[in-house]
Amino acid sequence: MHDMHDMAGTRGVGVSRSGMHGHHSHAAMIRDYWRRFVFSTILTVPILLLSPGIREAVGLETMFPGEDYMLVGLASLVYAYGGWPFIKGMFRELKRRIPGMMVLIGVAVSVAYFYSVFAALYSGGKSFFWELATLIDVMLLGHWVEMRSVMGASKALEEIARLLPSTARRLVDGGVEEVPVEELRPGDLVLVRPGEKIPVDGEVVEGASSVDESMLTGESMPVGKKPGDGVIAGSVNGEGSLTIRVLKTGRDTYVSQVIELVRRAQESRSRTQDLADKAALLLTVVALSGGAVTMAAWMLAGRSILFALERAVTVMVIACPHALGLAIPLVVAVSTSIAARQGFLVRMRDAFEKARLLDTVVFDKTGTLTKGEFGVTDILPLADMSSEEILRIAACLEARSEHPIAAGIVRAAEERGLKIRPAQSFKAMPGRGVEGVVEGRHYRLLSLQSLKEEISSRGLEELLEQGKTIVILLSDDKPLGAIGLADMVREESREAVETLREMGLRVAMLTGDNKGVAHWVAEQLGLDEYYAEVLPHEKAGIIAEMRRKGRRVAMVGDGINDAPALVEADVGIAIGAGTDVAIESADIVLVRNDPRDVASVIRLARKTYRKMVENLFWAAGYNAIAIPLAAGVLYSMGVLLTPAAGAALMSLSTVIVAVNARLLKP
Ligand code: ADP
Ligand code: MG
């Protein structure tokens, strides 16, 4: 179990361009098992023909003298060559002190072999060479099939890795040169022709085209690209030619990070996996002692040592926690690659597993449910300062802020041809506003709701009723003017909320914006509840309070101000276009900025869990029936399993587990 485990966990899936050898060694191991299987199976034919038991059954006479020795010789070859991977595995597990499947198989085949040699050469008793040979054949075949399934599960990611072109056309003075992608540096310009794969993450500086990003983001429609738009390595350029400025190369590119994330996610342990491993260890102990007890019981019952030994071997073989070791990793491999293709990255598997239990999803408003593209709609002087001057000074303050409101104000000032000089002594007050010095004077730009003093003005009331976001420009606590901004609700948000509610979840919204805006958005989307005018640290507090009441909460956000809440929630989900802080704090990252993907996350988490439980049943449940059968409980009714039949059953459960995992669908 443990060597397979390593395969599924690290090597099989952790494929990057530099790490491709992992893939090769896996393939080599598969070929090795196949060779051993073919060789052993061919040798099994004469073993069957030479075996006294079989010959009696088909009525063959003794053929030639010394055939006993020949039988021993052939069986020794099968034991040594075919049984080698298991014996090697047994010693490795013993050395690591984690007895598992290999110990069971190793002990089973070794007991069968040495007893038979002794019986054939010295005591003249019955041997079970043919049972030994078929057992090894079936085990080898089972391993081979299973390793191939593991390969299949990790294929999707290998495909993504292979998507990356190895060379690019770099623009240099007066021409184009073809260079290996590794030589590109951020800032270089590369040319991508129609139909080519994009070699790096970058920004379009010239040209227009549509790009197929479906392999990376799951977005099935080609995405239009024009100067200023970002492109990702591995996506396929459409009809136009593009000049791209390199932003990220190699390990920093999106694809490499996805692969790295998936690899780490598969290594990150989860409760279910721990459970499966404990069960596997327990089963090993049960099987070894079960084998011993079975043998003792049959001997006490007066059966021959041969009969007792055969029952013991069958018990050990059947109880192999082989499938159990694979049940979870296989589902994880399939699930993580489905997730990546659907456009979300699982950073913490434990949290992802918890997503199936959620009963509440809390969304941040700005940039998550709304587009986060603010337009300035109103400017309202509150003292003797012109609208233009209010906007100009506000823009100077905002020039240094990353907030969506800042972008809206700066754009509005630029459109009006105002000259923007970034403020000095700039300071951001998250969730409230900004302050700084413009032309020697200290100003603050704060949200209406964060002001202590009431500002009463008929104009403001009106803006509030319209659901506008309002910021106030102040100097020395004196309000100079108000700026009204409007954001748009994302079209996808309504559907996202609807789907989540249909799935039985409560949907809430948290925002630092004023009550008017919050009310307006909540109405538009049909939210179950909303909290307005919350400061960043209060966001986490509200999530904590919900959890104290026993709710299981997911938080979805994009901003710096959402980070504490993302950490506090049972499941933190960051919108991919959000800030790095948000992404670092999240358990799951949505690549597309689509709130509907939250429902996909929960749906996949539910399905994944169901698959895991099914697999644990197939892997472990059958033991409950098979072990007593193997021990010979129903012998009096004529039901008895041979070791090879036991091995076949065990392999069958492994194959069922592998196939079942692959049947996981988005
Ligand atoms: P949300 O929770 O909706 O993402 P924030 O917590 O980021 O909103 O902001 C809350 C409020 O604080 C905004 O509605 C705005 O009034 C004010 N604010 C925050 N940052 C800025 C800024 N850079 N410029 C102006 N106002 C800001
Ligand atoms: Mg936000």
Side-chain angles (χ1 to χ4, degrees), residues 364-368 403-404 539 557-559 561-562:
D364 161 56
K365 176 184 75 78
T366 316
T368 304
H403 202 274
K539 284 191 174 182
D558 68 324
N561 58 342
D562 300 318

Side-chain angles (χ1 to χ4, degrees), residues 248-268:
K248 287 174 179 162
T249 58
R251 297 198 154 276
D252 298 329
T253 58
Y254 173 74
V255 199
S256 306
Q257 300 213 318
V258 173
I259 291 168
E260 177 62 17
L261 269 172
V262 171
R263 195 180 63 71
R264 262 193 276 160
Q266 296 202 316
E267 276 170 19
S268 91

Side-chain angles (χ1 to χ4, degrees), residues 160 258 279 442 513 540 544 558 597:
I160 294 182
V258 173
H442 181 261
D513 215 337
D558 68 324
D597 286 344

Side-chain angles (χ1 to χ4, degrees), residues 374-382 385-398 405-406 408-410 412-413 416 418 444-448 459-460 463-464 468-474 480-486 513-514:
F374 284 91
V376 171
T377 56
D378 308 80
I379 304 175
L380 206 69
L382 297 170
M385 185 184 256
S386 71
S387 301
E388 197 135 288
E389 187 66 358
I390 293 169
L391 184 61
R392 188 180 70 86
I393 293 177
C396 295
L397 289 170
E398 296 285 29
I405 290 180
I409 290 179
V410 169
R416 272 160 242 207
L418 301 173
R444 290 186 297 159
L445 189 68
L446 295 176
S447 69
L448 177 65
L460 278 182
L463 289 183
L464 271 178
K468 298 262 170 70
T469 298
I470 302 167
V471 292
I472 309 282
L473 180 69
L474 307 110
L480 300 173
I483 300 177
L485 302 108
D513 215 337
N514 68 57

